[in-house]
Amino acid sequence: MTEVRLTGTGGPEVLQLRTAPVPTPGPGQLLVRMQAAGVAFGDVTQRQGRNPGKPPRVLGYDVVGTVEAVGPGTGDWAAGDRVAALTMTGGYASHVLADSAWAVPVPPALDAPRVSALVLNHLTAWQMLHRVARVHAGQSVLVLGAAGGVGSALVELAQLAGATVYGTASERRRPALLEQGVRVVADASALPEPVDVVFDPVGGPSLARSRAAVVKGGVVVSFGFSFTVGGGHGRVGGLVRTLAASRVRPGARVVLYTVGGAAKKDPAALRQDLTALVELLAAGRLAPRVETLPLARAADAHRRLEDRQVLGKLVLVP
């Protein structure tokens, strides 16, 4: 098999293409031949050494592909099945081990890179919208970083739910948001009126501004610590500062969300939500914006992501 190995912490150059033996699936595992694997901002912070714990050998939060082998205790899965799975690590490889409890079937006709966009980004957005904030028609939301991977998924799904969507983005990305019907604002303080929900991937000092931007009884969903990148903070320090910032004064409720934490707590909900997203894609009701690069160019993918050159989801393909 081929994999992009994390040879250390540092810049994109620490991502190196290597060969390795094809792994054997253990209990509850599927061996998947990769057709698409998403690149996430969390991969960047892992590579930089900002996340707690030992970095994984191979990055990659998700995989879409064909099952080649199954371990014991995987239910009805069989070789030849097409699958999408949340993996949290290991996706940057031609063969990936996936937990069958975090996997759902995928129709043969669906485009693999677009399905990959669902597994992390749209799943994260869906759960924050419907399980955390419970957004419904007639409400308004602010999405910080609305042109990014999760941000663009939040925009699409919030509009599908009938919400009015405000969004922030760099000047270069704003025209794409305007085309989607997003009401673009410079930042949370520039809203014409308070919103029901703010989705904040920045964390830290950004949360005070987000809390001030919601109506009484509203909620801020915090799902990242991007303020730590280039700021000299690790992920643990970012979490501490984010928690501190969320409690500076009485005000809007802040909920911290991670897709991995949600998956561990309720894998059945993960399968239910990801299945719903696959069905929406198959019905033509979702159109995730996707860019692809070959697996061998994973380092270039990280450079593009760090330089904010990506609109939507960046996906690696064989």
Side-chain angles (χ1 to χ4, degrees), residues 4-17 43-50 55 59 92 229 297-307:
V4 176
R5 195 171 301 169
L6 188 62
T7 59
T9 56
E13 68 279 356
V14 302
L15 296 171
Q16 298 290 326
L17 195 66
D43 294 330
V44 172
T45 57
Q46 283 271 25
R47 191 204 74 224
Q48 294 173 335
R50 296 184 179 278
L59 300 172
Y92 294 12
V229 177
R297 293 184 60 191
D300 289 335
H302 275 229
R303 292 185 185 97
R304 286 179 54 77
L305 203 62
E306 286 184 85
D307 293 341

Side-chain angles (χ1 to χ4, degrees), residues 96-125:
V96 182
L97 289 175
D99 188 335
S100 62
W102 290 12
V104 300
V106 175
L110 288 185
D111 177 68
R114 284 195 166 191
V115 177
S116 176
L118 304 182
V119 182
L120 179 66
N121 291 3
H122 278 69
L123 177 64
T124 296

Side-chain angles (χ1 to χ4, degrees), residues 43-233:
D43 294 330
V44 172
T45 57
Q46 283 271 25
R47 191 204 74 224
Q48 294 173 335
R50 296 184 179 278
N51 292 22
K54 183 180 178 181
R57 186 180 72 173
V58 177
L59 300 172
Y61 278 80
D62 64 81
V63 65
V64 177
T66 304
V67 175
E68 289 208 338
V70 299
T74 52
D76 295 331
W77 289 105
D81 290 343
R82 198 160 187 240
V83 64
L86 183 70
T87 58
M88 303 303 291
T89 63
Y92 294 12
S94 63
H95 295 73
V96 182
L97 289 175
D99 188 335
S100 62
W102 290 12
V104 300
V106 175
L110 288 185
D111 177 68
R114 284 195 166 191
V115 177
S116 176
L118 304 182
V119 182
L120 179 66
N121 291 3
H122 278 69
L123 177 64
T124 296
W126 179 279
Q127 293 201 327
M128 290 193 298
L129 278 163
H130 297 296
R131 293 191 181 271
V132 179
R134 301 188 183 278
V135 171
H136 56 77
Q139 289 192 308
S140 59
V141 304
L142 170 64
V143 180
L144 303 184
V150 175
S152 61
L154 280 164
V155 167
E156 187 173 29
L157 291 173
Q159 290 177 331
L160 193 63
T164 298
V165 181
Y166 295 90
T168 70
S170 63
E171 188 170 348
R172 181 176 58 83
R173 292 174 162 191
R174 289 174 186 173
L177 294 182
L178 291 170
E179 288 178 7
Q180 292 177 271
V182 177
R183 302 183 184 188
V184 177
V185 294
D187 54 44
S189 66
L191 286 168
E193 59 186 5
V195 294
D196 295 289
V197 186
V198 176
F199 296 98
D200 187 329
V202 182
S206 173
L207 289 182
R209 294 188 292 272
S210 293
R211 295 179 85 206
V214 299
V215 299
K216 184 177 180 180
V219 60
V220 175
V221 184
S222 174
F223 63 102
F225 315 105
S226 66
F227 82 96
T228 65
V229 177
H233 304 291

